[in-house]
Amino acid sequence: MKKIILLLSAVLLWALPVSVSAQNKKQQRKEQFDRFCKFRRDFMMKQIGLSEQEAKQFFPLYEEMEGKKWTVDREARTFARKIVRSETAVSDVEYEKAAEVLLEKDEKLAKIDREYYDKFKTFLSNEKLFKFKNAQMKFPRAMMKWHGGKHHHE
């Protein structure tokens, strides 16, 4: 009985740091994501020149749109990754299906963009709509600079 208790205690003591480490990593990822979201919000606010009232309308829709786009992109990446990482020979039919999935991803993303562009158009001026689309093109470069620079750790 003492051996069992000793063994269980040893296993628990060994597992505890692993559990704490996993929690720390999860917390770090959440904090990093929160910093990213703040950076993205600040970037869009500045690039578009949104008023506070516009921002209150814009960001809930923007976050919803980005969530939908992320889901579509993730599904296509997951499918393509299966082809790339396949340990067996990939058939011509599978390559065709993967190419179709990637093409459909682009079509779905364009449809989501159009849907939300029309929603943004109900409260943003044409100038701000243009600045928004332009900011979307600029954002990946700005994010790379932010991620690699001092702001990443703030």
Side-chain angles (χ1 to χ4, degrees), residues 68-84:
K68 286 181 179 181
K69 289 170 74 173
W70 187 85
T71 298
V72 166
D73 194 57
R74 184 189 66 209
E75 289 169 355
R77 276 193 328 265
T78 299
F79 191 87
R81 193 175 294 123
K82 287 178 186 175
I83 298 297
V84 169

Side-chain angles (χ1 to χ4, degrees), residues 109-124:
L109 292 177
K111 185 177 177 184
I112 292 168
D113 278 338
R114 169 51 72 182
E115 174 189 350
Y116 283 87
Y117 178 85
D118 291 342
K119 290 178 181 184
F120 294 139
K121 196 172 185 167
T122 64
F123 61 89
L124 291 179

